[in-house]
Amino acid sequence: MMVPLALMGLGALAAAMAPRLLARSDWADREPVLALWVWQCVVVAVLLCCGLTMALTAAAASQAVRGNVFAPAPHGVVEAYALSAYGPWAAPVAVALACGAVWTAVMLTREIGRARGRRKQRRAELLDRCPALPGEEPTGDRLVVLEGERPEAWWLPGAPPRLVITTAALRRLKGRRLDAVLAHEQGHARARHHWLLHCSSALATGFPQVPVFAAFRDQVHRLVELAADDSASRRFGRLTTALALVELNEHRGVFGPVPAQLAEVPRRVDRLLAPAARLSPARRWRLTAAAALVPVVPLVVTLVPALRVLG
């Protein structure tokens, strides 16, 4: 009985403390890729705590589940978990966590379905605004130039993926600034940021009362943009990338008094123009390793009784 309680306590502690600790850190904006890795490890650890608790409580409540969970284990290992001592609360907890797992899958499926629907609609609009000429054969070109009065550029995932830029953006952006914008969008594509956005949105939508999932979604939306900015600035320089951001967004009025959700672009520009020093390679490796160990903790807690018997 102690193992499921320890797992639930560990999951609750991670869900409560991780957003606060990461919010207080002074390195996330300097190392957005590392911060994304840390957030993913924390969320995986919370989900692992829930999943392992569900497996143990279900094994305590059902002999059939127990046979599947502990099928390859010696008899002494099963006794070490004292499943019979879990009491009548095992079945309700297992059912509740199983419902949560199903709900997570439903939310993720819905999020992916909606994203595909949006992509299909945008592709139809793209084909309508930029149709193939008579006799033109479809090509594998990823860059699509779209007639438009607003300077915009975006990456459209799918098969085949497309990098779309408007003629207004081509008129406003010249030389390396245009290359920086394209590199920014290509950075999103290389890192598969759309999958992170789907997963974080699904968890936050499915469990709005869980603060760690809402914080995960908000931070993912912010950090993927910083990571793409860094990808572009490494190739074309911070000043060039910052000027490209300004020229691409100044028509939106985001550089004056704006609501909080629109103030992110000026902060990104300030970050590029006045960059803070990056963490040392040694500290980056330490943080990476420490984050990787976070999901391992629930596994170790779960395996402690079995290791005691086998060791």
Side-chain angles (χ1 to χ4, degrees), residues 103-104 107 110 200-210 213:
W103 184 244
T104 301
M107 289 295 101
R110 188 181 73 167
S200 62
S201 296
L203 288 170
T205 303
F207 303 94
Q209 297 84 9
V210 183
F213 294 150

Side-chain angles (χ1 to χ4, degrees), residues 97-108:
L97 291 173
C99 290
V102 172
W103 184 244
T104 301
V106 169
M107 289 295 101
L108 183 57

Side-chain angles (χ1 to χ4, degrees), residues 10-11 13-15 18-19 22 27 32-50 196 199 203 212-213 216 220 223 284-299:
L10 185 63
L13 181 65
L22 289 169
W27 55 265
V33 174
L34 178 57
L36 284 169
W37 167 251
V38 173
W39 271 106
Q40 290 175 78
C41 290
V42 169
V43 171
V44 168
V46 172
L47 296 177
L48 267 177
C49 288
C50 296
L196 261 181
C199 294
L203 288 170
V212 69
F213 294 150
F216 180 48
V220 163
L223 291 170
R284 290 201 299 271
W285 277 109
R286 287 197 298 269
L287 285 171
T288 301
L293 290 175
V294 173
V296 176
V297 175
L299 296 174

Side-chain angles (χ1 to χ4, degrees), residues 168-247:
L170 291 177
R171 286 193 297 268
R172 178 166 294 190
L173 298 166
K174 301 297 181 182
R176 290 171 61 84
R177 296 179 190 179
L178 175 60
D179 293 335
V181 169
L182 299 180
H184 174 99
E185 299 302 328
Q186 290 166 350
H188 285 309
R190 281 194 303 270
R192 302 290 192 273
H193 284 158
H194 57 287
W195 282 111
L196 261 181
L197 294 170
H198 293 334
C199 294
S200 62
S201 296
L203 288 170
T205 303
F207 303 94
Q209 297 84 9
V210 183
V212 69
F213 294 150
F216 180 48
R217 176 196 56 196
D218 296 341
Q219 290 301 308
V220 163
H221 279 76
R222 188 178 70 87
L223 291 170
V224 295
E225 294 299 332
L226 300 186
D229 288 345
D230 289 348
S231 177
S233 67
R234 280 193 292 270
R235 295 178 60 188
F236 301 102
R238 288 182 172 271
L239 178 59
T240 300
T241 305
L243 291 173
L245 275 176
V246 171
E247 293 181 356

Side-chain angles (χ1 to χ4, degrees), residues 64-77:
V65 175
R66 186 182 309 177
N68 289 322
V69 171
F70 292 97
H75 182 69
V77 171

